[in-house]
Amino acid sequence: MNKLKFSSVLPALLLLLFYTIPSDIFAQKKHTISGYVKDKRNGETLIGVTLIADEKEGTVTNEYGFFSVTLPEGEHRLVFTYVGFESYSLDINLLASQVLAVDMTEASVELAEVVVKANANEQVQSVEMGVKTLSVQTIKQLPAVIGEADVLRAIQLLPGVSSTSEASSGFNVRGGGADQNLILLDEATIYNATHLFGLFSVFNADALKDVKLYKGGVPAMYGGRLSSVLDIRQKEGNNRKFGGSAGIGLISSRVLLEGPIAKNTEGVGKGSFMIAGRRSYVDAFAQLSKEFRDNKLYFYDLNLKTNIAINDRNKLFLSGYFGRDNFKLPGLVGAKWGNASGTLRWTSSAGEKWFFQTSLIASQYDYTLDNLRSGYEFSWRSDINNFNLRPRATFYLNDRNTIKFGVDAVYYTFKPGQIIPLKNSPIKEKTFQANHASEVAFYIDNEQKISPKLSFQYGLRWSNFFRLGAENIRQYETGTPLRYDAKYNAYLQNAQIGTRNYGPNELISSDNGIEPRLSLRYLVDPQNAIKLGYNRTYQYIHLISNTTSPTPLDIWTPSGPYIRPQNADQLALGYFFSEKKNAYEISFEIYYKRLNNLTDFVDGADLLFNENIESQIAKGKGRAYGAELQISKNSGRLTGWLSYTLAQSQSKITGINNNQWYATNSDQRHQINLVGFYKLPGRWELGGNFIFGSGRPVTYPSGKYNSNGLVVADFSSRNGGRLPAYHRLDLSATLNPRKTSRSQGQWVFSIINVYNRLNAASIFFREISEVNDVELATGTTEAVKTAFFPIIPSVSYNFKF
């Protein structure tokens, strides 16, 4: 653990804490205005609404639409603004603290012109940096693969975010691995966020309310991953009236139902519910063919959320997700995998200055792999479970300070694998021992306004990780599973000399880390700001995979005696500009990230069904740095953004690549994304995106040799080669219903990869063993390119009822 030098930090903390003393002790009397902001049409609380008082003082609603602002006694003008909604103004004579219920009306955009405004220069005014929010409306406007709007593919169009591969919704952020992203759905961890081996994400856009990505400047309330946090919130449901929506695509369909619970005399529900489901039906088409009738390839998922107001200040929420994939090739292989999660949450606005939240959360991810080859049938099963308790509080201390603090407690159960023979298979049953661990973190965070120009957000997170029994830990000579032989530049396995037995909940090992977080914003003028951010993060669980993108069969394992926690320090500097009417925005950020205790596999690692996984892993350090530029146009018929990322990500691990720095799997030097939306006169809307990315790292063989008649490839530097550059153009067209039509149907047409570019997902080498249909050892090697996406047209029909 890196110990924090409190002797150097304490003076700075004391100085900042001095400024938290209320400024109104000897000044004019002040009162607090608090309340909730909702969508007038359906009663959904609105996240991130900007409140400006007297054109200077401001705040933003939290994840539950709650706000609190302290103002001097007297008359004030309050203005609430939110993307896609009409601004709401209110004149108030403040003589005592008040509670408001604010209903905002969705903007009725004329077909002749589209105007999308940012939240009162929020990009410039906010202390946050390295943070991007995507509206569900924007996600749905993007061209969709086979008709399915995809959250993860949408965020890959943002600067600093790249795809792990064309056929996968997995993503990398600022050079980090896909396992270094914390993905949350209503606070529940989603361990594998893809369907159909990565073709779609598990998130049904119809059921979502808010999507927010933290690339840097991560608040102290989040922890457990090194690179990013993707915080996704589900809809609460319409508490005014019952209704729904549905969509029919080429390979999948979906439906959503929502409505009020216990309506009052004014027709407003005391609560509401939302339930949404999707299913693909590739398997249904397979039934039409005798050859493929027994094959299986489909997914389904279910989203639900309900809430009930106990009274004006207290509310209960229950939300959940369940999704499964099923794949089978008779006589060869089968696989099933999926996520399940549930969140029970209580929120309370106790007084005008306090907001409390307590959540009980359960998450599970499991998969089953079946070998169906005759004579050797067996099933391999693995899963990870966790239970969370998260009490949190927000204290709106005064007009300059908003303090957040809480506890994040998690209990993990890892079941790495169980082999079960099928039929009369000679394979013996075996269960790999389970791993248990708990993670407890305490945090405090303060957003502080030093002056009208200068604001801070700073905090500390103290995370603790405990590896627990019951488990038998292998003991090795010299105390480690591997030793490095410098003479041969290779790792050798140490002999196992025994095991140590730990009883249930007995402590095996423990780790902890102090994680400081800091963001600073200096407002040059109302349109320009400079921001600085720093954060340290720790990651205590690791994804065991030797592929460049996540697969359903990857295994999670906890830190322990032989696998140490990873940690990262990131420093970022940014410039932000917003034109007076928010028509144009520019953001430019540079960052440097240092990583410790990274893991990679030794040369020739054997991972399949290996219980001694620590004997295949080497440890080292990493670094990532880059620059991100985004230019956005927010108003007019034509809207969209252009982004460019220049980045590098490297690792240095003893015994790998001759002990030299080498490119990580997520290294991509250049990336350009151009996204546009155009509103035609009438009912048509057009959308498109162009993607360019320089080639990803790959390890090519540098030669070959013959060993007893077998041709063996020889490899030199790890990730020393590059795939060809990647580029693709996608287009979409949407036909909206007529204003006077009773039907609310919408047609969406998309073309993915318009000019049919066969981008290389991988390149491998093989011996040519056949000439003119005659098998013959030629001694010639050929390179073979694998590509996933040719040109793919699609159409879907969406409607509301």
Side-chain angles (χ1 to χ4, degrees), residues 605-628:
D606 179 17
L607 304 180
L608 189 63
F609 310 139
N610 190 340
E611 191 168 12
N612 304 342
I613 199 69
E614 67 270 10
S615 66
Q616 308 297 310
I617 294 175
K619 296 178 286 292
K621 59 184 179 180
R623 63 189 182 191
Y625 45 88
E628 302 166 358

PDB file of all heavy atoms in Angstrom, residues 605-628:
ATOM      1  N   ALA A 605       1.295 -19.373 -21.285  1.00  0.00           N
ATOM      2  CA  ALA A 605       0.401 -19.604 -20.147  1.00  0.00           C
ATOM      3  C   ALA A 605      -0.683 -20.622 -20.488  1.00  0.00           C
ATOM      4  O   ALA A 605      -1.219 -20.639 -21.595  1.00  0.00           O
ATOM      5  CB  ALA A 605      -0.231 -18.292 -19.714  1.00  0.00           C
ATOM      6  N   ASP A 606      -0.999 -21.475 -19.518  1.00  0.00           N
ATOM      7  CA  ASP A 606      -2.052 -22.488 -19.654  1.00  0.00           C
ATOM      8  C   ASP A 606      -3.189 -22.103 -18.722  1.00  0.00           C
ATOM      9  O   ASP A 606      -3.096 -22.234 -17.508  1.00  0.00           O
ATOM     10  CB  ASP A 606      -1.500 -23.866 -19.289  1.00  0.00           C
ATOM     11  CG  ASP A 606      -2.566 -24.962 -19.399  1.00  0.00           C
ATOM     12  OD1 ASP A 606      -3.602 -24.710 -20.043  1.00  0.00           O
ATOM     13  OD2 ASP A 606      -2.346 -26.046 -18.834  1.00  0.00           O
ATOM     14  N   LEU A 607      -4.291 -21.604 -19.275  1.00  0.00           N
ATOM     15  CA  LEU A 607      -5.379 -21.064 -18.470  1.00  0.00           C
ATOM     16  C   LEU A 607      -6.582 -21.986 -18.362  1.00  0.00           C
ATOM     17  O   LEU A 607      -7.369 -21.888 -17.424  1.00  0.00           O
ATOM     18  CB  LEU A 607      -5.839 -19.718 -19.050  1.00  0.00           C
ATOM     19  CG  LEU A 607      -4.771 -18.634 -19.210  1.00  0.00           C
ATOM     20  CD1 LEU A 607      -5.396 -17.384 -19.790  1.00  0.00           C
ATOM     21  CD2 LEU A 607      -4.095 -18.341 -17.903  1.00  0.00           C
ATOM     22  N   LEU A 608      -6.744 -22.876 -19.327  1.00  0.00           N
ATOM     23  CA  LEU A 608      -7.973 -23.659 -19.406  1.00  0.00           C
ATOM     24  C   LEU A 608      -8.050 -24.663 -18.257  1.00  0.00           C
ATOM     25  O   LEU A 608      -7.167 -25.516 -18.094  1.00  0.00           O
ATOM     26  CB  LEU A 608      -8.036 -24.386 -20.755  1.00  0.00           C
ATOM     27  CG  LEU A 608      -9.354 -25.087 -21.083  1.00  0.00           C
ATOM     28  CD1 LEU A 608     -10.479 -24.071 -21.169  1.00  0.00           C
ATOM     29  CD2 LEU A 608      -9.235 -25.868 -22.388  1.00  0.00           C
ATOM     30  N   PHE A 609      -9.098 -24.537 -17.437  1.00  0.00           N
ATOM     31  CA  PHE A 609      -9.355 -25.445 -16.327  1.00  0.00           C
ATOM     32  C   PHE A 609      -8.161 -25.522 -15.363  1.00  0.00           C
ATOM     33  O   PHE A 609      -7.882 -26.571 -14.789  1.00  0.00           O
ATOM     34  CB  PHE A 609      -9.716 -26.850 -16.827  1.00  0.00           C
ATOM     35  CG  PHE A 609     -10.793 -26.872 -17.865  1.00  0.00           C
ATOM     36  CD1 PHE A 609     -10.707 -27.723 -18.963  1.00  0.00           C
ATOM     37  CD2 PHE A 609     -11.899 -26.042 -17.757  1.00  0.00           C
ATOM     38  CE1 PHE A 609     -11.714 -27.751 -19.921  1.00  0.00           C
ATOM     39  CE2 PHE A 609     -12.911 -26.072 -18.707  1.00  0.00           C
ATOM     40  CZ  PHE A 609     -12.816 -26.914 -19.790  1.00  0.00           C
ATOM     41  N   ASN A 610      -7.468 -24.403 -15.199  1.00  0.00           N
ATOM     42  CA  ASN A 610      -6.283 -24.378 -14.348  1.00  0.00           C
ATOM     43  C   ASN A 610      -6.649 -23.786 -12.992  1.00  0.00           C
ATOM     44  O   ASN A 610      -7.002 -22.604 -12.890  1.00  0.00           O
ATOM     45  CB  ASN A 610      -5.178 -23.544 -15.008  1.00  0.00           C
ATOM     46  CG  ASN A 610      -3.845 -23.676 -14.290  1.00  0.00           C
ATOM     47  OD1 ASN A 610      -3.777 -24.067 -13.121  1.00  0.00           O
ATOM     48  ND2 ASN A 610      -2.779 -23.353 -14.999  1.00  0.00           N
ATOM     49  N   GLU A 611      -6.563 -24.603 -11.939  1.00  0.00           N
ATOM     50  CA  GLU A 611      -6.914 -24.120 -10.613  1.00  0.00           C
ATOM     51  C   GLU A 611      -5.786 -23.298 -10.001  1.00  0.00           C
ATOM     52  O   GLU A 611      -6.026 -22.440  -9.153  1.00  0.00           O
ATOM     53  CB  GLU A 611      -7.249 -25.305  -9.703  1.00  0.00           C
ATOM     54  CG  GLU A 611      -7.883 -24.887  -8.387  1.00  0.00           C
ATOM     55  CD  GLU A 611      -8.463 -26.058  -7.623  1.00  0.00           C
ATOM     56  OE1 GLU A 611      -8.183 -27.217  -8.000  1.00  0.00           O
ATOM     57  OE2 GLU A 611      -9.210 -25.827  -6.660  1.00  0.00           O
ATOM     58  N   ASN A 612      -4.545 -23.530 -10.427  1.00  0.00           N
ATOM     59  CA  ASN A 612      -3.402 -22.786  -9.904  1.00  0.00           C
ATOM     60  C   ASN A 612      -3.107 -21.585 -10.797  1.00  0.00           C
ATOM     61  O   ASN A 612      -2.019 -21.451 -11.360  1.00  0.00           O
ATOM     62  CB  ASN A 612      -2.167 -23.687  -9.816  1.00  0.00           C
ATOM     63  CG  ASN A 612      -2.418 -24.934  -8.994  1.00  0.00           C
ATOM     64  OD1 ASN A 612      -3.367 -24.993  -8.221  1.00  0.00           O
ATOM     65  ND2 ASN A 612      -1.559 -25.928  -9.151  1.00  0.00           N
ATOM     66  N   ILE A 613      -4.096 -20.719 -10.937  1.00  0.00           N
ATOM     67  CA  ILE A 613      -3.981 -19.634 -11.906  1.00  0.00           C
ATOM     68  C   ILE A 613      -2.849 -18.679 -11.545  1.00  0.00           C
ATOM     69  O   ILE A 613      -2.269 -18.028 -12.409  1.00  0.00           O
ATOM     70  CB  ILE A 613      -5.337 -18.879 -12.025  1.00  0.00           C
ATOM     71  CG1 ILE A 613      -5.398 -18.088 -13.324  1.00  0.00           C
ATOM     72  CG2 ILE A 613      -5.579 -17.995 -10.817  1.00  0.00           C
ATOM     73  CD1 ILE A 613      -5.491 -18.933 -14.539  1.00  0.00           C
ATOM     74  N   GLU A 614      -2.486 -18.604 -10.255  1.00  0.00           N
ATOM     75  CA  GLU A 614      -1.420 -17.693  -9.843  1.00  0.00           C
ATOM     76  C   GLU A 614      -0.071 -18.090 -10.429  1.00  0.00           C
ATOM     77  O   GLU A 614       0.853 -17.271 -10.507  1.00  0.00           O
ATOM     78  CB  GLU A 614      -1.335 -17.630  -8.317  1.00  0.00           C
ATOM     79  CG  GLU A 614      -0.884 -18.914  -7.644  1.00  0.00           C
ATOM     80  CD  GLU A 614      -2.031 -19.846  -7.293  1.00  0.00           C
ATOM     81  OE1 GLU A 614      -3.157 -19.580  -7.733  1.00  0.00           O
ATOM     82  OE2 GLU A 614      -1.794 -20.822  -6.567  1.00  0.00           O
ATOM     83  N   SER A 615       0.051 -19.353 -10.877  1.00  0.00           N
ATOM     84  CA  SER A 615       1.303 -19.817 -11.464  1.00  0.00           C
ATOM     85  C   SER A 615       1.455 -19.411 -12.923  1.00  0.00           C
ATOM     86  O   SER A 615       2.467 -19.725 -13.556  1.00  0.00           O
ATOM     87  CB  SER A 615       1.406 -21.341 -11.345  1.00  0.00           C
ATOM     88  OG  SER A 615       0.402 -21.967 -12.138  1.00  0.00           O
ATOM     89  N   GLN A 616       0.459 -18.719 -13.462  1.00  0.00           N
ATOM     90  CA  GLN A 616       0.503 -18.301 -14.864  1.00  0.00           C
ATOM     91  C   GLN A 616       0.565 -16.774 -15.017  1.00  0.00           C
ATOM     92  O   GLN A 616       0.505 -16.268 -16.126  1.00  0.00           O
ATOM     93  CB  GLN A 616      -0.746 -18.813 -15.607  1.00  0.00           C
ATOM     94  CG  GLN A 616      -0.994 -20.299 -15.447  1.00  0.00           C
ATOM     95  CD  GLN A 616       0.120 -21.132 -16.031  1.00  0.00           C
ATOM     96  OE1 GLN A 616       0.527 -20.930 -17.179  1.00  0.00           O
ATOM     97  NE2 GLN A 616       0.635 -22.068 -15.249  1.00  0.00           N
ATOM     98  N   ILE A 617       0.683 -16.070 -13.906  1.00  0.00           N
ATOM     99  CA  ILE A 617       0.547 -14.619 -13.925  1.00  0.00           C
ATOM    100  C   ILE A 617       1.828 -13.940 -13.450  1.00  0.00           C
ATOM    101  O   ILE A 617       2.395 -14.310 -12.418  1.00  0.00           O
ATOM    102  CB  ILE A 617      -0.636 -14.171 -13.043  1.00  0.00           C
ATOM    103  CG1 ILE A 617      -1.962 -14.669 -13.629  1.00  0.00           C
ATOM    104  CG2 ILE A 617      -0.675 -12.663 -12.904  1.00  0.00           C
ATOM    105  CD1 ILE A 617      -3.161 -14.382 -12.766  1.00  0.00           C
ATOM    106  N   ALA A 618       2.270 -12.932 -14.204  1.00  0.00           N
ATOM    107  CA  ALA A 618       3.387 -12.078 -13.804  1.00  0.00           C
ATOM    108  C   ALA A 618       2.858 -10.679 -13.520  1.00  0.00           C
ATOM    109  O   ALA A 618       1.808 -10.277 -14.031  1.00  0.00           O
ATOM    110  CB  ALA A 618       4.443 -12.032 -14.909  1.00  0.00           C
ATOM    111  N   LYS A 619       3.606  -9.953 -12.701  1.00  0.00           N
ATOM    112  CA  LYS A 619       3.137  -8.614 -12.264  1.00  0.00           C
ATOM    113  C   LYS A 619       4.129  -7.543 -12.691  1.00  0.00           C
ATOM    114  O   LYS A 619       5.331  -7.787 -12.811  1.00  0.00           O
ATOM    115  CB  LYS A 619       2.963  -8.596 -10.743  1.00  0.00           C
ATOM    116  CG  LYS A 619       1.886  -9.542 -10.232  1.00  0.00           C
ATOM    117  CD  LYS A 619       1.781  -9.527  -8.730  1.00  0.00           C
ATOM    118  CE  LYS A 619       2.935 -10.260  -8.065  1.00  0.00           C
ATOM    119  NZ  LYS A 619       2.899 -11.714  -8.317  1.00  0.00           N
ATOM    120  N   GLY A 620       3.591  -6.320 -12.899  1.00  0.00           N
ATOM    121  CA  GLY A 620       4.442  -5.208 -13.293  1.00  0.00           C
ATOM    122  C   GLY A 620       3.718  -3.887 -13.174  1.00  0.00           C
ATOM    123  O   GLY A 620       2.803  -3.728 -12.362  1.00  0.00           O
ATOM    124  N   LYS A 621       4.085  -2.934 -14.023  1.00  0.00           N
ATOM    125  CA  LYS A 621       3.514  -1.599 -13.957  1.00  0.00           C
ATOM    126  C   LYS A 621       3.051  -1.155 -15.337  1.00  0.00           C
ATOM    127  O   LYS A 621       3.364  -1.793 -16.355  1.00  0.00           O
ATOM    128  CB  LYS A 621       4.543  -0.611 -13.407  1.00  0.00           C
ATOM    129  CG  LYS A 621       5.832  -0.517 -14.231  1.00  0.00           C
ATOM    130  CD  LYS A 621       6.840   0.406 -13.557  1.00  0.00           C
ATOM    131  CE  LYS A 621       8.140   0.477 -14.362  1.00  0.00           C
ATOM    132  NZ  LYS A 621       9.139   1.385 -13.714  1.00  0.00           N
ATOM    133  N   GLY A 622       2.295  -0.072 -15.368  1.00  0.00           N
ATOM    134  CA  GLY A 622       1.787   0.430 -16.631  1.00  0.00           C
ATOM    135  C   GLY A 622       1.721   1.933 -16.636  1.00  0.00           C
ATOM    136  O   GLY A 622       1.843   2.602 -15.602  1.00  0.00           O
ATOM    137  N   ARG A 623       1.520   2.483 -17.827  1.00  0.00           N
ATOM    138  CA  ARG A 623       1.338   3.919 -17.985  1.00  0.00           C
ATOM    139  C   ARG A 623       0.433   4.174 -19.184  1.00  0.00           C
ATOM    140  O   ARG A 623       0.407   3.399 -20.142  1.00  0.00           O
ATOM    141  CB  ARG A 623       2.678   4.626 -18.172  1.00  0.00           C
ATOM    142  CG  ARG A 623       3.441   4.217 -19.431  1.00  0.00           C
ATOM    143  CD  ARG A 623       4.840   4.787 -19.456  1.00  0.00           C
ATOM    144  NE  ARG A 623       5.559   4.423 -20.688  1.00  0.00           N
ATOM    145  CZ  ARG A 623       6.864   4.614 -20.868  1.00  0.00           C
ATOM    146  NH1 ARG A 623       7.595   5.157 -19.899  1.00  0.00           N
ATOM    147  NH2 ARG A 623       7.433   4.257 -22.014  1.00  0.00           N
ATOM    148  N   ALA A 624      -0.333   5.237 -19.096  1.00  0.00           N
ATOM    149  CA  ALA A 624      -1.218   5.638 -20.192  1.00  0.00           C
ATOM    150  C   ALA A 624      -1.299   7.152 -20.203  1.00  0.00           C
ATOM    151  O   ALA A 624      -1.381   7.783 -19.141  1.00  0.00           O
ATOM    152  CB  ALA A 624      -2.609   5.024 -20.025  1.00  0.00           C
ATOM    153  N   TYR A 625      -1.259   7.745 -21.367  1.00  0.00           N
ATOM    154  CA  TYR A 625      -1.348   9.201 -21.468  1.00  0.00           C
ATOM    155  C   TYR A 625      -1.937   9.557 -22.822  1.00  0.00           C
ATOM    156  O   TYR A 625      -1.887   8.776 -23.778  1.00  0.00           O
ATOM    157  CB  TYR A 625       0.027   9.850 -21.279  1.00  0.00           C
ATOM    158  CG  TYR A 625       1.161   9.194 -22.020  1.00  0.00           C
ATOM    159  CD1 TYR A 625       1.495   9.552 -23.331  1.00  0.00           C
ATOM    160  CD2 TYR A 625       1.898   8.180 -21.401  1.00  0.00           C
ATOM    161  CE1 TYR A 625       2.537   8.937 -23.988  1.00  0.00           C
ATOM    162  CE2 TYR A 625       2.948   7.558 -22.061  1.00  0.00           C
ATOM    163  CZ  TYR A 625       3.266   7.938 -23.361  1.00  0.00           C
ATOM    164  OH  TYR A 625       4.294   7.306 -24.022  1.00  0.00           O
ATOM    165  N   GLY A 626      -2.524  10.750 -22.873  1.00  0.00           N
ATOM    166  CA  GLY A 626      -3.141  11.137 -24.131  1.00  0.00           C
ATOM    167  C   GLY A 626      -3.811  12.498 -24.072  1.00  0.00           C
ATOM    168  O   GLY A 626      -3.773  13.196 -23.057  1.00  0.00           O
ATOM    169  N   ALA A 627      -4.424  12.857 -25.191  1.00  0.00           N
ATOM    170  CA  ALA A 627      -5.157  14.120 -25.327  1.00  0.00           C
ATOM    171  C   ALA A 627      -6.485  13.830 -26.011  1.00  0.00           C
ATOM    172  O   ALA A 627      -6.558  12.996 -26.922  1.00  0.00           O
ATOM    173  CB  ALA A 627      -4.351  15.128 -26.138  1.00  0.00           C
ATOM    174  N   GLU A 628      -7.549  14.522 -25.550  1.00  0.00           N
ATOM    175  CA  GLU A 628      -8.899  14.310 -26.070  1.00  0.00           C
ATOM    176  C   GLU A 628      -9.528  15.649 -26.450  1.00  0.00           C
ATOM    177  O   GLU A 628      -9.520  16.584 -25.653  1.00  0.00           O
ATOM    178  CB  GLU A 628      -9.769  13.625 -25.024  1.00  0.00           C
ATOM    179  CG  GLU A 628      -9.230  12.287 -24.555  1.00  0.00           C
ATOM    180  CD  GLU A 628      -9.907  11.776 -23.301  1.00  0.00           C
ATOM    181  OE1 GLU A 628     -10.779  12.481 -22.769  1.00  0.00           O
ATOM    182  OE2 GLU A 628      -9.534  10.682 -22.833  1.00  0.00           O
TER     183      GLU A 628
END
